[in-house]
Amino acid sequence: MVLKPQRVFISCGSNINPRANLSRALARLDAVTEQLRTSSWYRTLPWGGIEQDPYLNLVVGAHTTAKPH
């Protein structure tokens, strides 16, 4: 049975070497999806009372036939 590509949206973020980690994640997603698009990249402050670096966040939109894990 051939699955029809479904539209998916994935929220991504990192505060540990964020540009490199998010770029690596986008490359992996690009290899397994079609029509990969990304939002702008946003820097956000951490919350929860733990001292840590700011986050870099974005949303990815794509089409895929992969099943959710």
Side-chain angles (χ1 to χ4, degrees):
M1 178 169 115
V2 176
L3 296 175
K4 178 182 171 190
Q6 298 295 309
R7 195 158 135 194
V8 296
F9 295 94
I10 303 167
S11 174
C12 300
S14 178
N15 71 340
I16 300 171
N17 198 9
R19 290 209 177 271
N21 282 331
L22 290 175
S23 293
R24 201 170 14 259
L26 290 174
R28 286 181 159 191
L29 287 169
D30 192 39
V32 297
T33 63
E34 298 174 18
Q35 299 175 356
L36 185 74
R37 294 191 184 258
T38 64
S39 70
S40 297
W41 296 40
Y42 296 93
R43 182 173 299 276
T44 58
L45 296 176
W47 58 273
I50 298 172
E51 179 95 15
Q52 55 185 310
D53 292 333
Y55 281 80
L56 198 54
N57 303 287
L58 61 103
V59 174
V60 176
H63 289 85
T64 184
T65 56
K67 293 181 180 181
H69 294 274

